[in-house]
Amino acid sequence: MKKVTLQRVGICLFCVTLIGGGILTIGPNIKSIAKQTLSGMKNGYAEKATIEGLLKGTIGGIEAGISDSVFGKEAYINLYGLSERLLGKHYIRDTNLVQSVIKDNNGQLQFATNKVDTTPYAEEIGQVNELLKEKNVPFIYVQTPLKVIEGYTQLPASVIDYAEINTDTFKEQLEEKDVDVLDLRENVKSAGLDYSTLFYNTDHHWRTQTAFWAVGEVVQYLKESTGIDLDPNHYYTDSSNYEETFYKQNFLGSQGRRVGKYYGGLDDYTLMTPNFDTSYEVKITKTNGSTVAEGTFEEAIIKKNLLNATSVFTNRYASYFGGDFPEVAIKNKNAKNDFKVLIVKDSFALPFSAFFSTMVSETRMLDTRYYEGEVTDYINSYNPDLVLYVYKSINTQK
């Protein structure tokens, strides 16, 4: 009898907790949830103009709205991750399988990559390459390093990761179309870099220092392959000319934010900014408008609110420019040339583009996941002197 009573009390407390959490989640955030629901409905119907599309979008919008507003969300995630760690779990399954979190043999968190048909992406980039050859404009596809590193990273036996296979296949397809590919995976090996320091332990992105190193590799390759020397005195690609600000144990990356700080620990974050004089104008075009910032590199590019936020769940990686947007136009008023660069990118190019911009008059970033126009039309309108594609994974283009 006593056991039954205790079970009932436990069930009642659990229900009260759920109901209380639900009230505290929905009550203060009803406008935000309604807004995301409406946005989901529009996106769902735009993707598939049927009842099914509308329903899918509505459900997705409600889930996103509630997920973003859950009362005590960070505490729940931290406790969940702790329990999984205590159970010795190396694979934490997510409802969205591509966001399931895996802990590898080095203690780094990973997202497993599914097999992707890269043919359509190769066709698109092949068309861009043909246009640029007609215009006699240099074009380089820059393949960033991968976090799952052959011969170094080991995943649980039950997990198959296709990142290397997808990338190798795509590289071959591009080279068949006579696209100039700079594979930074090879540069990492030849430079003898420490694999453990390339990426954040809890994030899928490369560290700030790795992005800075990559800029130097691209500049050197550009000089060797085209004769264009953007940094003849090796000044802008010399890390000693930049100030490093360290933020100790204050960053949970994209993978860490799904499992909390007790599962994979916290990362240090390093901000790199020029210690030479800079003057910038940065226009960010968003889906719902645009913003313009002027001032030094730090004032125009760096988003201090992301650095100074108290929550470790804040995305410090987005401190450069504030995140991914359809288009970003960066004018370097102190540039010693009138060179214009177009960087078609995923999120890996955020710090990369910031550092690259120190050497040229104007840098434009296009993110084809959000930009609705055609890259070829943009090139014809902008007339850049150089085009770079900077990607970790080609399937993030759309």
Side-chain angles (χ1 to χ4, degrees):
M1 185 70 177
K2 192 176 290 186
K3 184 177 179 180
V4 174
T5 303
L6 287 174
Q7 287 178 339
R8 287 179 177 175
V9 170
I11 291 170
C12 288
L13 288 174
F14 180 70
C15 291
V16 168
T17 301
L18 285 179
I19 294 169
I23 292 171
L24 290 170
T25 294
I26 296 172
N29 301 291
I30 188 66
K31 288 185 179 179
S32 174
I33 294 171
K35 185 177 180 181
Q36 292 221 43
T37 301
L38 183 59
S39 176
M41 292 171 66
K42 290 179 179 178
N43 292 337
Y45 192 76
E47 186 176 328
K48 191 173 184 181
T50 62
I51 295 296
E52 180 187 352
L54 183 63
L55 184 60
K56 183 178 178 181
T58 303
I59 294 172
I62 293 172
E63 287 179 346
I66 293 177
S67 177
D68 290 345
S69 309
V70 170
F71 179 76
K73 178 181 178 180
E74 294 181 8
Y76 281 123
I77 294 174
N78 284 331
L79 289 174
Y80 172 67
L82 176 61
S83 67
E84 296 296 276
R85 179 180 176 181
L86 293 174
L87 290 171
K89 296 285 189 67
H90 284 262
Y91 181 88
I92 300 182
R93 189 181 181 90
D94 194 279
T95 51
N96 184 353
L97 288 179
V98 297
Q99 293 184 321
S100 297
V101 175
I102 304 152
K103 184 181 288 187
D104 67 22
N105 59 311
N106 302 302
Q108 291 193 325
L109 304 186
Q110 303 276 359
F111 289 141
T113 302
N114 294 326
K115 194 169 185 177
V116 175
D117 179 10
T118 56
T119 305
Y121 307 120
E123 293 291 339
E124 290 179 17
I125 294 176
Q127 293 172 10
V128 171
N129 187 48
E130 290 177 7
L131 172 64
L132 292 171
K133 283 186 181 300
E134 291 174 6
K135 292 177 171 290
N136 199 29
V137 174
F139 171 44
I140 302 172
Y141 184 93
V142 181
Q143 173 61 56
T144 74
L146 304 177
K147 192 174 181 182
V148 176
I149 303 171
E150 186 177 8
Y152 175 75
T153 306
Q154 294 178 12
L155 302 177
S158 60
V159 176
I160 300 175
D161 182 77
Y162 287 94
E164 285 278 357
I165 295 172
N166 291 342
T167 303
D168 290 342
T169 301
F170 185 63
K171 179 182 176 183
E172 291 175 5
Q173 291 172 329
L174 290 181
E175 289 175 341
E176 287 172 0
K177 297 182 180 299
D178 200 29
V179 175
D180 193 2
V181 179
L182 174 58
D183 189 348
L184 291 177
R185 295 177 300 170
E186 298 174 1
N187 295 54
V188 165
K189 293 177 183 177
S190 61
L193 299 187
D194 182 352
Y195 292 160
S196 68
T197 64
L198 297 179
F199 290 81
Y200 296 103
N201 289 334
T202 68
D203 196 73
H204 70 285
H205 293 110
W206 52 11
R207 293 179 183 270
T208 309
Q209 299 94 322
T210 312
F212 183 85
W213 165 83
V215 169
E217 295 296 297
V218 172
V219 170
Q220 182 63 29
Y221 182 80
L222 189 64
K223 178 182 176 181
E224 294 172 355
S225 62
T226 69
I228 296 173
D229 192 355
L230 296 178
D231 192 19
N233 298 318
H234 189 56
Y235 183 83
Y236 299 102
T237 53
D238 183 349
S239 61
S240 67
N241 293 320
Y242 291 76
E243 181 180 351
E244 294 187 348
T245 305
F246 297 96
Y247 296 82
K248 299 290 290 182
Q249 296 288 287
N250 79 335
F251 175 42
L252 263 180
S254 56
Q255 292 139 344
R257 290 194 294 273
R258 306 199 71 80
V259 293
K261 63 182 180 180
Y262 300 124
Y263 183 78
L266 294 171
D267 274 301
D268 298 332
Y269 179 78
T270 303
L271 181 75
M272 292 181 66
T273 53
N275 58 20
F276 47 87
D277 289 337
T278 55
S279 179
Y280 276 84
E281 178 185 299
V282 177
K283 180 180 179 181
I284 297 177
T285 301
K286 307 177 181 180
T287 54
N288 58 351
S290 62
T291 60
V292 177
E294 296 187 67
T296 64
F297 178 102
E298 198 163 353
E299 291 168 339
I301 292 176
I302 303 303
K303 302 304 178 183
K304 291 287 186 67
N305 62 309
L306 297 178
L307 292 170
N308 298 331
T310 56
S311 172
V312 296
F313 281 73
T314 302
N315 184 12
R316 318 284 179 192
Y317 179 81
S319 297
Y320 292 88
F321 301 105
D324 297 304
F325 303 100
E327 179 190 14
V328 179
I330 311 158
K331 291 184 179 179
N332 177 2
K333 298 179 181 180
N334 285 1
K336 296 178 174 59
N337 56 49
D338 57 0
F339 205 82
K340 300 195 303 183
V341 179
L342 173 63
I343 299 178
V344 185
K345 40 102 32 203
D346 64 10
S347 55
F348 272 62
L350 291 176
F352 178 97
S353 301
F355 300 134
F356 203 94
S357 74
T358 61
M359 293 172 280
V360 298
S361 175
E362 186 171 357
T363 306
R364 299 275 184 97
M365 292 193 292
L366 279 189
D367 194 321
T368 54
R369 294 170 296 179
Y370 311 108
Y371 182 74
E372 295 182 351
E374 295 294 331
V375 174
T376 49
D377 291 340
Y378 194 94
I379 290 171
N380 283 326
S381 174
Y382 180 46
N383 292 314
D385 299 301
L386 169 68
V387 175
L388 301 175
Y389 269 58
V390 180
Y391 276 94
K392 174 259 182 183
S393 177
I394 194 61
N395 67 325
T396 59
Q397 276 201 85
K398 298 296 183 184

